[in-house]
Amino acid sequence: MTRDLATLVTLSAALRMVVAAEPPLPKFEDVTEQAGIHFKHSFGDHNLSNIVEATGPGCAFFDYNNDGYLDIYLVNGRWQRDVSDNLGRDLRGKLRNALYRNNGDGTFTDVTEQAGAGGGESYGIGVSAADYDNDGHLDLYVLNYGPNTLYHNNGDGTFTDVSTRSGLDDPSWSVSAAWLDYNNDGLLDVYVANYLEYDAGRFRDFYAASGFPGPLSYKAQPDRLYRNNGDGTFTDVTNEVGLYFPDGRAMSAVATDLNDDGLIDVFVTNDATPNCYWVNRGNQTFENQAMQWGIAYGEGGQGASSMGPVVGDVDRDGRLDLFIPDMGYSCLLLNRGKVFADLTAQSNVAVVCGQYAGWGGGLFDYDNDGYLDIFVANGDAHHEYPEEAVLLRNDGRGKFIDVADESGPYFRQKYVGRGAAFGDYDNDGDIDVLVMNLNGPAKLLRNAGGSRNNWLTVVPRLARTGVIALGARVTVTVGELRMVQEVYSSVGYLSQSDSRAHFGLGRAAQADRVEVRWPGGGKTTLEHVKANQFLDMIQAK
């Protein structure tokens, strides 16, 4: 055997060993039926005929009973006199939201009625959860077409509707709620993202093939910031903090510290109008700096139909980036410190997402290799035309690879996708997906195989209540890889994901360093942390 041939054989054998050492990619199993989730969304009518019905539902992963397992909340539409056709009146009284309790064995039980969280006759759109009164229990805020509903968690498996008393029964058409302590008084305030003022179908000047008028045919409704008064009530402080913006048409919002100055900002995606980046100035006022940071528009300068904003450190440079599904190619915006760079085309995201209408997106490490991947629920905006979901794997070198076809049968099925939530519902160390489909079934997708790589889930908790500290920033270091994640309430389109900070560690048996930067200041650091565990970190009193 010649030297060149021997070298080639040796290299080939080494390559086979490397490939063999890499675990196979995970697949997602549709476990909806066996998990006991029997929910079909309805927009309260039999035919899709207007923008209210098309906006769609959100969902939530949250632990309402503090047993360590994620429960599920699903929102539903209702027949509404100013929205629905008369033929849909037979649906009156037959539709409700749903709360599913996680039994800890892979199954769920519908506890909506005994919990008192069905939503009444309100037309549900979005949902978020947070402990607004610091009693150690996650409360539930449902965003509606019409007055919103705030459910106080009584701590005994039941909820009480305190919407009117609290002042959070915002009468606008709300779609999203981002909880944050903007004034650092230890109480969670809430940014309510509002959409538009529907006119009961009076405006009819539109292209017939589109089915109904688009968002610019209606007057926008301004978003609101409500300050927590500490006595169970909230005060609208939108104007006094400089947040008033009358022409937004919000699709969703996320409370996040994009500029890494220790103060929580708010990023809002708007429909057919510029996005807003409300920078917290530290003096209880905000300034819209979306233009300066390059995140007001899409790459072409257009007012894109941005949907649910997702935040994560995509390129692992320690800065939080943005992924925004939209009606075009979507937007992957990487944080360069003073400005965001649009890498949608260069990263391969555009060529995959450009053929779909994207709504509920997620940045999560589905294979636990240390890099954030992308999921998008897709579906037509004006018709019940279904589309398949997208799954893109981050190769760690700036490219995203389309792996949907090899990731399970769900990705070969088509739905009219809307909201999506991400979380480890079975506590097995990998992230699962919950998808809401317009006028279709909710779907629970179990990640089968993500935990073949090692992982670490960090749960930063407030000492005074034990609940997860919204606004905390978690940094995990493994060798040269430094991973940053913030703790959010709502993120993505109309929905709330698992607030626990999940990190893939690849083949590493431990994290070299785990650091939590707490909201309001202070840090906690641990070193040489063993992999494959849920790590509770308690803020020092």
PDB file of all heavy atoms in Angstrom, residues 199-210:
ATOM      1  N   ASP A 199     -63.755  47.311  12.617  1.00  0.00           N
ATOM      2  CA  ASP A 199     -64.936  48.143  12.353  1.00  0.00           C
ATOM      3  C   ASP A 199     -66.205  47.344  12.080  1.00  0.00           C
ATOM      4  O   ASP A 199     -67.147  47.848  11.457  1.00  0.00           O
ATOM      5  CB  ASP A 199     -64.667  49.065  11.169  1.00  0.00           C
ATOM      6  CG  ASP A 199     -64.489  48.292   9.852  1.00  0.00           C
ATOM      7  OD1 ASP A 199     -64.466  47.039   9.896  1.00  0.00           O
ATOM      8  OD2 ASP A 199     -64.374  48.937   8.801  1.00  0.00           O
ATOM      9  N   ALA A 200     -66.250  46.096  12.571  1.00  0.00           N
ATOM     10  CA  ALA A 200     -67.424  45.219  12.381  1.00  0.00           C
ATOM     11  C   ALA A 200     -67.708  44.957  10.909  1.00  0.00           C
ATOM     12  O   ALA A 200     -68.846  44.667  10.527  1.00  0.00           O
ATOM     13  CB  ALA A 200     -68.656  45.808  13.063  1.00  0.00           C
ATOM     14  N   GLY A 201     -66.651  45.023  10.076  1.00  0.00           N
ATOM     15  CA  GLY A 201     -66.799  44.657   8.671  1.00  0.00           C
ATOM     16  C   GLY A 201     -67.326  45.746   7.763  1.00  0.00           C
ATOM     17  O   GLY A 201     -67.684  45.466   6.609  1.00  0.00           O
ATOM     18  N   ARG A 202     -67.335  46.991   8.230  1.00  0.00           N
ATOM     19  CA  ARG A 202     -67.911  48.065   7.412  1.00  0.00           C
ATOM     20  C   ARG A 202     -67.027  48.423   6.216  1.00  0.00           C
ATOM     21  O   ARG A 202     -67.530  48.713   5.140  1.00  0.00           O
ATOM     22  CB  ARG A 202     -68.161  49.297   8.276  1.00  0.00           C
ATOM     23  CG  ARG A 202     -69.378  49.153   9.199  1.00  0.00           C
ATOM     24  CD  ARG A 202     -69.672  50.441   9.937  1.00  0.00           C
ATOM     25  NE  ARG A 202     -68.652  50.735  10.933  1.00  0.00           N
ATOM     26  CZ  ARG A 202     -68.691  50.276  12.181  1.00  0.00           C
ATOM     27  NH1 ARG A 202     -69.694  49.493  12.582  1.00  0.00           N
ATOM     28  NH2 ARG A 202     -67.740  50.581  13.043  1.00  0.00           N
ATOM     29  N   PHE A 203     -65.703  48.422   6.407  1.00  0.00           N
ATOM     30  CA  PHE A 203     -64.821  48.764   5.294  1.00  0.00           C
ATOM     31  C   PHE A 203     -64.757  47.587   4.319  1.00  0.00           C
ATOM     32  O   PHE A 203     -64.383  46.478   4.686  1.00  0.00           O
ATOM     33  CB  PHE A 203     -63.419  49.089   5.819  1.00  0.00           C
ATOM     34  CG  PHE A 203     -62.443  49.484   4.738  1.00  0.00           C
ATOM     35  CD1 PHE A 203     -62.462  50.759   4.216  1.00  0.00           C
ATOM     36  CD2 PHE A 203     -61.527  48.565   4.252  1.00  0.00           C
ATOM     37  CE1 PHE A 203     -61.568  51.124   3.209  1.00  0.00           C
ATOM     38  CE2 PHE A 203     -60.633  48.922   3.246  1.00  0.00           C
ATOM     39  CZ  PHE A 203     -60.662  50.203   2.728  1.00  0.00           C
ATOM     40  N   ARG A 204     -65.103  47.838   3.046  1.00  0.00           N
ATOM     41  CA  ARG A 204     -65.178  46.746   2.066  1.00  0.00           C
ATOM     42  C   ARG A 204     -64.350  47.014   0.813  1.00  0.00           C
ATOM     43  O   ARG A 204     -64.482  46.294  -0.181  1.00  0.00           O
ATOM     44  CB  ARG A 204     -66.642  46.514   1.652  1.00  0.00           C
ATOM     45  CG  ARG A 204     -67.589  46.231   2.798  1.00  0.00           C
ATOM     46  CD  ARG A 204     -67.185  45.020   3.620  1.00  0.00           C
ATOM     47  NE  ARG A 204     -67.176  43.797   2.858  1.00  0.00           N
ATOM     48  CZ  ARG A 204     -66.644  42.655   3.279  1.00  0.00           C
ATOM     49  NH1 ARG A 204     -66.045  42.600   4.462  1.00  0.00           N
ATOM     50  NH2 ARG A 204     -66.682  41.580   2.517  1.00  0.00           N
ATOM     51  N   ASP A 205     -63.514  48.038   0.811  1.00  0.00           N
ATOM     52  CA  ASP A 205     -62.736  48.385  -0.370  1.00  0.00           C
ATOM     53  C   ASP A 205     -61.409  47.619  -0.332  1.00  0.00           C
ATOM     54  O   ASP A 205     -60.404  48.107   0.191  1.00  0.00           O
ATOM     55  CB  ASP A 205     -62.490  49.894  -0.409  1.00  0.00           C
ATOM     56  CG  ASP A 205     -61.818  50.322  -1.708  1.00  0.00           C
ATOM     57  OD1 ASP A 205     -61.744  49.496  -2.633  1.00  0.00           O
ATOM     58  OD2 ASP A 205     -61.358  51.480  -1.775  1.00  0.00           O
ATOM     59  N   PHE A 206     -61.404  46.403  -0.874  1.00  0.00           N
ATOM     60  CA  PHE A 206     -60.198  45.576  -0.851  1.00  0.00           C
ATOM     61  C   PHE A 206     -60.212  44.635  -2.045  1.00  0.00           C
ATOM     62  O   PHE A 206     -61.255  44.426  -2.687  1.00  0.00           O
ATOM     63  CB  PHE A 206     -60.098  44.776   0.452  1.00  0.00           C
ATOM     64  CG  PHE A 206     -61.229  43.789   0.667  1.00  0.00           C
ATOM     65  CD1 PHE A 206     -61.090  42.452   0.291  1.00  0.00           C
ATOM     66  CD2 PHE A 206     -62.431  44.190   1.215  1.00  0.00           C
ATOM     67  CE1 PHE A 206     -62.118  41.549   0.471  1.00  0.00           C
ATOM     68  CE2 PHE A 206     -63.468  43.289   1.404  1.00  0.00           C
ATOM     69  CZ  PHE A 206     -63.310  41.962   1.034  1.00  0.00           C
ATOM     70  N   TYR A 207     -59.059  44.088  -2.338  1.00  0.00           N
ATOM     71  CA  TYR A 207     -58.914  43.141  -3.443  1.00  0.00           C
ATOM     72  C   TYR A 207     -59.629  41.846  -3.077  1.00  0.00           C
ATOM     73  O   TYR A 207     -59.289  41.196  -2.081  1.00  0.00           O
ATOM     74  CB  TYR A 207     -57.434  42.898  -3.707  1.00  0.00           C
ATOM     75  CG  TYR A 207     -57.122  41.925  -4.816  1.00  0.00           C
ATOM     76  CD1 TYR A 207     -57.736  42.013  -6.061  1.00  0.00           C
ATOM     77  CD2 TYR A 207     -56.184  40.921  -4.620  1.00  0.00           C
ATOM     78  CE1 TYR A 207     -57.441  41.130  -7.075  1.00  0.00           C
ATOM     79  CE2 TYR A 207     -55.867  40.026  -5.627  1.00  0.00           C
ATOM     80  CZ  TYR A 207     -56.503  40.137  -6.850  1.00  0.00           C
ATOM     81  OH  TYR A 207     -56.197  39.255  -7.858  1.00  0.00           O
ATOM     82  N   ALA A 208     -60.601  41.455  -3.851  1.00  0.00           N
ATOM     83  CA  ALA A 208     -61.484  40.347  -3.476  1.00  0.00           C
ATOM     84  C   ALA A 208     -60.734  39.051  -3.220  1.00  0.00           C
ATOM     85  O   ALA A 208     -61.104  38.268  -2.337  1.00  0.00           O
ATOM     86  CB  ALA A 208     -62.544  40.152  -4.551  1.00  0.00           C
ATOM     87  N   ALA A 209     -59.674  38.809  -3.985  1.00  0.00           N
ATOM     88  CA  ALA A 209     -58.937  37.548  -3.830  1.00  0.00           C
ATOM     89  C   ALA A 209     -58.276  37.420  -2.463  1.00  0.00           C
ATOM     90  O   ALA A 209     -57.973  36.316  -2.022  1.00  0.00           O
ATOM     91  CB  ALA A 209     -57.888  37.420  -4.923  1.00  0.00           C
ATOM     92  N   SER A 210     -58.050  38.548  -1.784  1.00  0.00           N
ATOM     93  CA  SER A 210     -57.411  38.491  -0.471  1.00  0.00           C
ATOM     94  C   SER A 210     -58.382  38.060   0.618  1.00  0.00           C
ATOM     95  O   SER A 210     -57.964  37.759   1.739  1.00  0.00           O
ATOM     96  CB  SER A 210     -56.809  39.851  -0.111  1.00  0.00           C
ATOM     97  OG  SER A 210     -57.818  40.816   0.066  1.00  0.00           O
TER      98      SER A 210
END
